[in-house]
Each structure stands twice: as C-alpha cells, then as structure tokens.
Amino acid sequence: MSTKHTIPSDEDLTAFIDGELTAEETARIEAIVKEDESVAERLEFLARASLPFEKAFAPLLSEAPREKLEAMLAAIPVREGARSASAPGVTRRRFLGALAASLVAGIAIDRAVIGIGSGSLPKDENSEWRAVVADYISLYTAETLAGAVPGRQDQAAQLAGLDEKLGLSLSPEAVSLPGVDFKRALLLQYDGKALAQIAYLDPETGPMALCIVKSDAGPKAPDLENRKGMNVVYWSSATHAFMLIGHAAADRMTTIAGGVRGRLAV
C-alpha cells in the first residue's frame, strides 16, 4: 500500500531538474517519482520542454534596465546542497526568460511561468511539442512583435537560416498569411530537434505563429485544438509536423492554415 504524499509543484520539479534542491528534498521527489506514474511523466515532460526564451525576447532584454535586472538576479539565494555546478547557469537562463516575459505580458516573475501549465497532456510526441509551443507563444503580446515589417529580402534571409536545419525550402511567398504581417523567423529547439518559428502579427487578434519540426510520424490531415486560449491547427507530412497558432477565430485559423499548407506541400 502506497503512502500518501504531497504532489510536487512544477516549480519543485523544475528545481529538481536544475539540481537546485537539498539532498533531502531531492530524495523526497525521487521517492515520489518512483511511486507516482503521473509525477514521473510530468517530470519527464518538464525535462524535455526547454526552449530558448532569452533568444526569443532578446530585443526586449536589450532595451530593459539591464543593471537592475542583473542586480535582481544576483540577489537570488543559492540553495544549500544543490547537486549540480551548472545549476546557476540554468537558473540564469530561466530567470532572464521570465523577466523578458514579464516586460511584455505584465505577468509576475515566477519560475512557473517557464514551466507547463496545470493539467495532464497526452503522451504522444506531437502533442507535447504543441503544448510547449503554446506555452511559449502565450507569453507574446502585440508589443513583443512591434516594429516595421521586414522587406522581402530580409524575410528570405531569415527563412534561409531555417532551411538547412529543417530540410525545407521556405520562401516569403510560401509562408505569407493573408491580412497578417510577417515579423520574424527564429530557429529554436525542442527535445534536441530544430524547431522553426515564424512569428506574425495580426492587426485584429495579435500574435500568430507557424511552427515546424521534423517528424517521422507520417502524414496527418489538419485538426483543430485549443491551447492556452488560442486556436491551434496542426497537421503533418511524411517528414514534418506543422502547427499554426493564434488568437483568431477557429474558422479563420482553419482557412489560413489550409492556404499555407497547400503552399508548403512538396
């Protein structure tokens, strides 16, 4: 008969992953993970869900009161008994990401912001990467993507940086969305795989993004789901998985996704 235990929060599990807990706390969570399959699955998911927040919010960080933020970071106490010498570096990445998010979204500075929201998720790989992206995009506001729309040449140069990693040939025309402004293309990473994020700003509903990863799961027809209050249209080809995420109505998202899907078909 199993003993009753308190379910660790995402913050506790993230600190466990980063090696920031004392030996006693570490042993407690290790025991819970062995006993509770749901906690073990959550821990595995959080360990895999690592995206470069600092890179995505770099323009905002460069304009932030850097000295003040650095002073705040330096004031964070280091827990006694931390297991990993690399933990401060990881904490720095996560902390700066949360700070950047707070600057544009007005949210509290909290490590949990970087983690995954409450509620269980399906275990299949494609569902997991969509969950991570949704958490990430939910931090964006119109201010995150403010500024002039890049010219075609600049767009092509940004997209070219994605092609080699993804094995695609993306053009500004192929990824253009009707009535929505192209803002930037980023090469991110999820679970060791290259993840392309093409960010847009819809004048009516705000941030929107087309994201692509390599996938061998096989072709799948478009489907619709809702994550973090946003509509997600997702599909896959023989070699890649795609998702279009945004705050626009489901029927509009489906129409936009249908157009870009046709242009990206090989």
Side-chain angles (χ1 to χ4, degrees), residues 87-126:
V90 177
T91 302
R92 176 187 177 84
R93 174 181 64 78
R94 294 176 182 272
F95 182 72
L96 286 175
L99 283 175
S102 72
L103 290 173
V104 298
I107 56 180
I109 297 172
D110 189 328
R111 286 172 55 90
V113 171
I114 309 299
I116 306 303
S118 60
S120 60
L121 291 167
K123 292 174 64 177
D124 68 280
E125 175 184 334
N126 284 335

Side-chain angles (χ1 to χ4, degrees), residues 9-55:
S9 66
D10 281 359
E11 181 179 1
D12 291 335
L13 293 176
T14 305
F16 175 84
I17 293 166
D18 290 347
E20 298 174 357
L21 300 181
T22 64
E24 181 179 354
E25 291 171 325
T26 297
R28 181 181 71 85
I29 290 184
E30 286 177 344
I32 294 173
V33 167
K34 290 179 181 178
E35 181 180 327
D36 192 320
E37 183 179 354
S38 65
V39 176
E41 291 176 356
R42 192 64 168 176
L43 178 66
E44 179 183 1
F45 182 76
L46 289 172
R48 298 174 64 188
S50 177
L51 287 173
F53 285 82
E54 184 173 0
K55 177 179 178 181

Side-chain angles (χ1 to χ4, degrees), residues 40-205:
E41 291 176 356
R42 192 64 168 176
L43 178 66
E44 179 183 1
F45 182 76
L46 289 172
R48 298 174 64 188
S50 177
L51 287 173
F53 285 82
E54 184 173 0
K55 177 179 178 181
F57 289 103
L60 286 166
L61 285 172
S62 65
E63 297 174 4
R66 192 74 185 196
E67 292 183 3
K68 182 177 180 180
L69 299 186
E70 293 286 358
M72 293 170 64
L73 177 59
I76 296 178
V78 178
R79 299 193 188 194
E80 294 182 3
R83 296 185 304 155
S84 170
S86 62
V90 177
T91 302
R92 176 187 177 84
R93 174 181 64 78
R94 294 176 182 272
F95 182 72
L96 286 175
L99 283 175
S102 72
L103 290 173
V104 298
I107 56 180
I109 297 172
D110 189 328
R111 286 172 55 90
V113 171
I114 309 299
I116 306 303
S118 60
S120 60
L121 291 167
K123 292 174 64 177
D124 68 280
E125 175 184 334
N126 284 335
S127 177
E128 286 187 358
W129 85 274
R130 295 196 306 272
V132 173
V133 169
D135 268 23
Y136 190 46
I137 300 300
S138 70
L139 301 179
Y140 282 17
T141 70
E143 287 75 19
T144 312
L145 302 171
V149 176
R152 187 195 181 284
Q153 185 174 357
D154 191 11
Q155 291 183 30
Q158 292 183 40
L159 293 170
L162 310 179
D163 289 345
E164 181 180 353
K165 295 291 186 180
L166 288 170
L168 289 173
S169 181
L170 301 173
S171 67
E173 292 74 22
V175 301
S176 65
L177 306 183
V180 182
D181 294 331
F182 177 108
K183 285 296 184 174
R184 67 188 184 210
L186 291 173
L187 181 63
L188 308 177
Q189 180 174 293
Y190 168 71
D191 195 24
K193 298 179 181 179
L195 188 160
Q197 179 205 105
I198 305 169
Y200 307 82
L201 186 59
D202 179 12
E204 297 180 6
T205 63

